[in-house]
PDB file of all heavy atoms in Angstrom:
ATOM      1  N   THR M 108      -2.771  17.470 -25.707  1.00 97.00           N
ATOM      2  CA  THR M 108      -3.965  17.739 -26.518  1.00 97.00           C
ATOM      3  C   THR M 108      -4.274  16.498 -27.336  1.00 97.00           C
ATOM      4  O   THR M 108      -3.395  15.990 -28.034  1.00 97.00           O
ATOM      5  CB  THR M 108      -3.730  18.921 -27.476  1.00 97.00           C
ATOM      6  OG1 THR M 108      -3.447  20.103 -26.711  1.00 97.00           O
ATOM      7  CG2 THR M 108      -4.963  19.174 -28.336  1.00 97.00           C
ATOM      8  N   LYS M 109      -5.507  16.002 -27.248  1.00 96.00           N
ATOM      9  CA  LYS M 109      -5.879  14.846 -28.053  1.00 96.00           C
ATOM     10  C   LYS M 109      -7.368  14.886 -28.376  1.00 96.00           C
ATOM     11  O   LYS M 109      -8.157  15.488 -27.643  1.00 96.00           O
ATOM     12  CB  LYS M 109      -5.517  13.534 -27.348  1.00 96.00           C
ATOM     13  CG  LYS M 109      -6.272  13.278 -26.063  1.00 96.00           C
ATOM     14  CD  LYS M 109      -5.880  11.927 -25.451  1.00 96.00           C
ATOM     15  CE  LYS M 109      -6.381  10.770 -26.285  1.00 96.00           C
ATOM     16  NZ  LYS M 109      -6.124   9.456 -25.635  1.00 96.00           N
ATOM     17  N   THR M 110      -7.711  14.242 -29.473  1.00 96.00           N
ATOM     18  CA  THR M 110      -9.111  14.134 -29.847  1.00 96.00           C
ATOM     19  C   THR M 110      -9.738  12.926 -29.151  1.00 96.00           C
ATOM     20  O   THR M 110      -9.070  11.914 -28.915  1.00 96.00           O
ATOM     21  CB  THR M 110      -9.262  13.978 -31.368  1.00 96.00           C
ATOM     22  OG1 THR M 110      -8.370  12.967 -31.841  1.00 96.00           O
ATOM     23  CG2 THR M 110      -8.956  15.278 -32.074  1.00 96.00           C
ATOM     24  N   TYR M 111     -11.027  13.052 -28.840  1.00 96.00           N
ATOM     25  CA  TYR M 111     -11.771  11.968 -28.203  1.00 96.00           C
ATOM     26  C   TYR M 111     -12.945  11.571 -29.086  1.00 96.00           C
ATOM     27  O   TYR M 111     -13.664  12.443 -29.602  1.00 96.00           O
ATOM     28  CB  TYR M 111     -12.295  12.402 -26.831  1.00 96.00           C
ATOM     29  CG  TYR M 111     -11.235  12.494 -25.766  1.00 96.00           C
ATOM     30  CD1 TYR M 111     -10.591  13.701 -25.501  1.00 96.00           C
ATOM     31  CD2 TYR M 111     -10.878  11.371 -25.029  1.00 96.00           C
ATOM     32  CE1 TYR M 111      -9.610  13.791 -24.522  1.00 96.00           C
ATOM     33  CE2 TYR M 111      -9.905  11.447 -24.043  1.00 96.00           C
ATOM     34  CZ  TYR M 111      -9.275  12.654 -23.796  1.00 96.00           C
ATOM     35  OH  TYR M 111      -8.314  12.722 -22.838  1.00 96.00           O
ATOM     36  N   GLU M 112     -13.134  10.292 -29.232  1.00 95.00           N
ATOM     37  CA  GLU M 112     -14.291   9.793 -29.962  1.00 95.00           C
ATOM     38  C   GLU M 112     -15.570  10.265 -29.276  1.00 95.00           C
ATOM     39  O   GLU M 112     -15.715  10.139 -28.064  1.00 95.00           O
ATOM     40  CB  GLU M 112     -14.260   8.254 -30.017  1.00 95.00           C
ATOM     41  CG  GLU M 112     -15.414   7.630 -30.786  1.00 95.00           C
ATOM     42  CD  GLU M 112     -15.370   6.115 -30.767  1.00 95.00           C
ATOM     43  OE1 GLU M 112     -14.315   5.550 -30.404  1.00 95.00           O
ATOM     44  OE2 GLU M 112     -16.406   5.504 -31.096  1.00 95.00           O
ATOM     45  N   GLY M 113     -16.473  10.810 -30.050  1.00 95.00           N
ATOM     46  CA  GLY M 113     -17.726  11.308 -29.499  1.00 95.00           C
ATOM     47  C   GLY M 113     -17.761  12.814 -29.343  1.00 95.00           C
ATOM     48  O   GLY M 113     -18.840  13.409 -29.227  1.00 95.00           O
ATOM     49  N   VAL M 114     -16.576  13.455 -29.341  1.00 96.00           N
ATOM     50  CA  VAL M 114     -16.504  14.910 -29.253  1.00 96.00           C
ATOM     51  C   VAL M 114     -16.318  15.470 -30.655  1.00 96.00           C
ATOM     52  O   VAL M 114     -15.358  15.127 -31.349  1.00 96.00           O
ATOM     53  CB  VAL M 114     -15.339  15.362 -28.349  1.00 96.00           C
ATOM     54  CG1 VAL M 114     -15.275  16.896 -28.306  1.00 96.00           C
ATOM     55  CG2 VAL M 114     -15.509  14.811 -26.941  1.00 96.00           C
ATOM     56  N   LYS M 115     -17.245  16.305 -31.081  1.00 91.00           N
ATOM     57  CA  LYS M 115     -17.219  16.827 -32.444  1.00 91.00           C
ATOM     58  C   LYS M 115     -16.085  17.826 -32.624  1.00 91.00           C
ATOM     59  O   LYS M 115     -16.017  18.850 -31.949  1.00 91.00           O
ATOM     60  CB  LYS M 115     -18.557  17.484 -32.774  1.00 91.00           C
ATOM     61  CG  LYS M 115     -18.673  17.958 -34.216  1.00 91.00           C
ATOM     62  CD  LYS M 115     -20.036  18.576 -34.490  1.00 91.00           C
ATOM     63  CE  LYS M 115     -20.148  19.052 -35.933  1.00 91.00           C
ATOM     64  NZ  LYS M 115     -21.473  19.668 -36.208  1.00 91.00           N
ATOM     65  N   THR M 116     -15.164  17.525 -33.546  1.00 92.00           N
ATOM     66  CA  THR M 116     -14.053  18.417 -33.867  1.00 92.00           C
ATOM     67  C   THR M 116     -13.776  18.343 -35.361  1.00 92.00           C
ATOM     68  O   THR M 116     -14.294  17.477 -36.062  1.00 92.00           O
ATOM     69  CB  THR M 116     -12.764  18.006 -33.118  1.00 92.00           C
ATOM     70  OG1 THR M 116     -12.345  16.715 -33.562  1.00 92.00           O
ATOM     71  CG2 THR M 116     -12.990  17.980 -31.620  1.00 92.00           C
ATOM     72  N   LYS M 117     -12.937  19.232 -35.851  1.00 87.00           N
ATOM     73  CA  LYS M 117     -12.569  19.235 -37.265  1.00 87.00           C
ATOM     74  C   LYS M 117     -11.432  18.259 -37.561  1.00 87.00           C
ATOM     75  O   LYS M 117     -11.111  18.009 -38.722  1.00 87.00           O
ATOM     76  CB  LYS M 117     -12.183  20.646 -37.707  1.00 87.00           C
ATOM     77  CG  LYS M 117     -13.347  21.624 -37.688  1.00 87.00           C
ATOM     78  CD  LYS M 117     -12.950  22.989 -38.223  1.00 87.00           C
ATOM     79  CE  LYS M 117     -14.149  23.923 -38.241  1.00 87.00           C
ATOM     80  NZ  LYS M 117     -13.812  25.261 -38.774  1.00 87.00           N
ATOM     81  N   PHE M 118     -10.811  17.730 -36.504  1.00 89.00           N
ATOM     82  CA  PHE M 118      -9.722  16.778 -36.674  1.00 89.00           C
ATOM     83  C   PHE M 118     -10.044  15.517 -35.879  1.00 89.00           C
ATOM     84  O   PHE M 118     -10.707  15.570 -34.844  1.00 89.00           O
ATOM     85  CB  PHE M 118      -8.400  17.373 -36.187  1.00 89.00           C
ATOM     86  CG  PHE M 118      -7.981  18.603 -36.943  1.00 89.00           C
ATOM     87  CD1 PHE M 118      -8.366  19.866 -36.507  1.00 89.00           C
ATOM     88  CD2 PHE M 118      -7.214  18.497 -38.083  1.00 89.00           C
ATOM     89  CE1 PHE M 118      -7.987  21.006 -37.202  1.00 89.00           C
ATOM     90  CE2 PHE M 118      -6.825  19.630 -38.791  1.00 89.00           C
ATOM     91  CZ  PHE M 118      -7.220  20.884 -38.352  1.00 89.00           C
ATOM     92  N   SER M 119      -9.558  14.387 -36.355  1.00 87.00           N
ATOM     93  CA  SER M 119      -9.916  13.122 -35.709  1.00 87.00           C
ATOM     94  C   SER M 119      -8.728  12.389 -35.091  1.00 87.00           C
ATOM     95  O   SER M 119      -8.920  11.413 -34.382  1.00 87.00           O
ATOM     96  CB  SER M 119     -10.583  12.189 -36.732  1.00 87.00           C
ATOM     97  OG  SER M 119      -9.717  11.936 -37.826  1.00 87.00           O
ATOM     98  N   ASP M 120      -7.525  12.834 -35.357  1.00 92.00           N
ATOM     99  CA  ASP M 120      -6.370  12.068 -34.882  1.00 92.00           C
ATOM    100  C   ASP M 120      -5.265  12.957 -34.324  1.00 92.00           C
ATOM    101  O   ASP M 120      -4.086  12.753 -34.590  1.00 92.00           O
ATOM    102  CB  ASP M 120      -5.815  11.186 -36.004  1.00 92.00           C
ATOM    103  CG  ASP M 120      -5.519  11.965 -37.276  1.00 92.00           C
ATOM    104  OD1 ASP M 120      -5.800  13.181 -37.304  1.00 92.00           O
ATOM    105  OD2 ASP M 120      -4.998  11.362 -38.227  1.00 92.00           O
ATOM    106  N   VAL M 121      -5.641  13.952 -33.525  1.00 96.00           N
ATOM    107  CA  VAL M 121      -4.663  14.811 -32.872  1.00 96.00           C
ATOM    108  C   VAL M 121      -4.212  14.159 -31.567  1.00 96.00           C
ATOM    109  O   VAL M 121      -5.035  13.700 -30.775  1.00 96.00           O
ATOM    110  CB  VAL M 121      -5.256  16.201 -32.576  1.00 96.00           C
ATOM    111  CG1 VAL M 121      -4.240  17.083 -31.851  1.00 96.00           C
ATOM    112  CG2 VAL M 121      -5.723  16.864 -33.847  1.00 96.00           C
ATOM    113  N   ASP M 122      -2.923  14.089 -31.352  1.00 97.00           N
ATOM    114  CA  ASP M 122      -2.370  13.542 -30.109  1.00 97.00           C
ATOM    115  C   ASP M 122      -0.970  14.120 -29.934  1.00 97.00           C
ATOM    116  O   ASP M 122       0.018  13.551 -30.382  1.00 97.00           O
ATOM    117  CB  ASP M 122      -2.330  12.018 -30.144  1.00 97.00           C
ATOM    118  CG  ASP M 122      -1.900  11.425 -28.807  1.00 97.00           C
ATOM    119  OD1 ASP M 122      -1.716  12.192 -27.843  1.00 97.00           O
ATOM    120  OD2 ASP M 122      -1.735  10.191 -28.741  1.00 97.00           O
ATOM    121  N   GLN M 228      -3.013  23.674 -39.676  1.00 96.00           N
ATOM    122  CA  GLN M 228      -3.149  22.950 -40.943  1.00 96.00           C
ATOM    123  C   GLN M 228      -2.976  21.445 -40.791  1.00 96.00           C
ATOM    124  O   GLN M 228      -3.671  20.659 -41.446  1.00 96.00           O
ATOM    125  CB  GLN M 228      -2.129  23.475 -41.956  1.00 96.00           C
ATOM    126  CG  GLN M 228      -2.405  24.883 -42.448  1.00 96.00           C
ATOM    127  CD  GLN M 228      -1.378  25.337 -43.468  1.00 96.00           C
ATOM    128  OE1 GLN M 228      -0.187  25.020 -43.358  1.00 96.00           O
ATOM    129  NE2 GLN M 228      -1.828  26.076 -44.473  1.00 96.00           N
ATOM    130  N   ARG M 229      -2.039  21.020 -39.943  1.00 96.00           N
ATOM    131  CA  ARG M 229      -1.725  19.590 -39.857  1.00 96.00           C
ATOM    132  C   ARG M 229      -1.305  19.188 -38.435  1.00 96.00           C
ATOM    133  O   ARG M 229      -0.191  18.737 -38.210  1.00 96.00           O
ATOM    134  CB  ARG M 229      -0.632  19.230 -40.861  1.00 96.00           C
ATOM    135  CG  ARG M 229       0.600  20.146 -40.818  1.00 96.00           C
ATOM    136  CD  ARG M 229       1.578  19.848 -41.963  1.00 96.00           C
ATOM    137  NE  ARG M 229       2.790  20.644 -41.840  1.00 96.00           N
ATOM    138  CZ  ARG M 229       3.877  20.265 -41.154  1.00 96.00           C
ATOM    139  NH1 ARG M 229       3.900  19.104 -40.527  1.00 96.00           N
ATOM    140  NH2 ARG M 229       4.937  21.039 -41.107  1.00 96.00           N
ATOM    141  N   PRO M 230      -2.176  19.350 -37.463  1.00 97.00           N
ATOM    142  CA  PRO M 230      -1.818  19.044 -36.066  1.00 97.00           C
ATOM    143  C   PRO M 230      -1.468  17.587 -35.836  1.00 97.00           C
ATOM    144  O   PRO M 230      -0.725  17.262 -34.899  1.00 97.00           O
ATOM    145  CB  PRO M 230      -3.079  19.437 -35.298  1.00 97.00           C
ATOM    146  CG  PRO M 230      -4.184  19.333 -36.295  1.00 97.00           C
ATOM    147  CD  PRO M 230      -3.575  19.781 -37.589  1.00 97.00           C
ATOM    148  N   GLU M 231      -2.002  16.700 -36.687  1.00 96.00           N
ATOM    149  CA  GLU M 231      -1.729  15.267 -36.511  1.00 96.00           C
ATOM    150  C   GLU M 231      -0.273  14.909 -36.770  1.00 96.00           C
ATOM    151  O   GLU M 231       0.169  13.810 -36.410  1.00 96.00           O
ATOM    152  CB  GLU M 231      -2.641  14.450 -37.429  1.00 96.00           C
ATOM    153  CG  GLU M 231      -2.398  14.658 -38.915  1.00 96.00           C
ATOM    154  CD  GLU M 231      -3.060  15.901 -39.486  1.00 96.00           C
ATOM    155  OE1 GLU M 231      -3.824  16.566 -38.744  1.00 96.00           O
ATOM    156  OE2 GLU M 231      -2.827  16.201 -40.676  1.00 96.00           O
ATOM    157  N   LEU M 253      -8.476  22.941 -31.246  1.00 95.00           N
ATOM    158  CA  LEU M 253      -8.594  21.949 -32.316  1.00 95.00           C
ATOM    159  C   LEU M 253      -9.371  20.716 -31.889  1.00 95.00           C
ATOM    160  O   LEU M 253      -9.849  19.957 -32.735  1.00 95.00           O
ATOM    161  CB  LEU M 253      -7.202  21.511 -32.786  1.00 95.00           C
ATOM    162  CG  LEU M 253      -6.243  22.597 -33.275  1.00 95.00           C
ATOM    163  CD1 LEU M 253      -4.883  21.996 -33.571  1.00 95.00           C
ATOM    164  CD2 LEU M 253      -6.802  23.291 -34.507  1.00 95.00           C
ATOM    165  N   VAL M 254      -9.523  20.514 -30.586  1.00 96.00           N
ATOM    166  CA  VAL M 254     -10.088  19.245 -30.110  1.00 96.00           C
ATOM    167  C   VAL M 254     -11.336  19.419 -29.250  1.00 96.00           C
ATOM    168  O   VAL M 254     -11.815  18.452 -28.659  1.00 96.00           O
ATOM    169  CB  VAL M 254      -9.032  18.434 -29.320  1.00 96.00           C
ATOM    170  CG1 VAL M 254      -7.829  18.126 -30.201  1.00 96.00           C
ATOM    171  CG2 VAL M 254      -8.592  19.172 -28.050  1.00 96.00           C
ATOM    172  N   GLY M 255     -11.859  20.637 -29.149  1.00 93.00           N
ATOM    173  CA  GLY M 255     -13.080  20.823 -28.377  1.00 93.00           C
ATOM    174  C   GLY M 255     -13.045  21.930 -27.366  1.00 93.00           C
ATOM    175  O   GLY M 255     -14.047  22.202 -26.704  1.00 93.00           O
TER     176      GLY M 255
END
Side-chain angles (χ1 to χ4, degrees):
T108 299
K109 65 178 291 186
T110 48
Y111 286 93
E112 181 182 345
V114 179
K115 185 179 180 180
T116 64
K117 293 184 178 181
F118 299 91
S119 59
D120 53 357
V121 178
D122 186 4
Q228 291 181 323
R229 50 187 185 89
E231 65 279 354
L253 303 175
V254 300

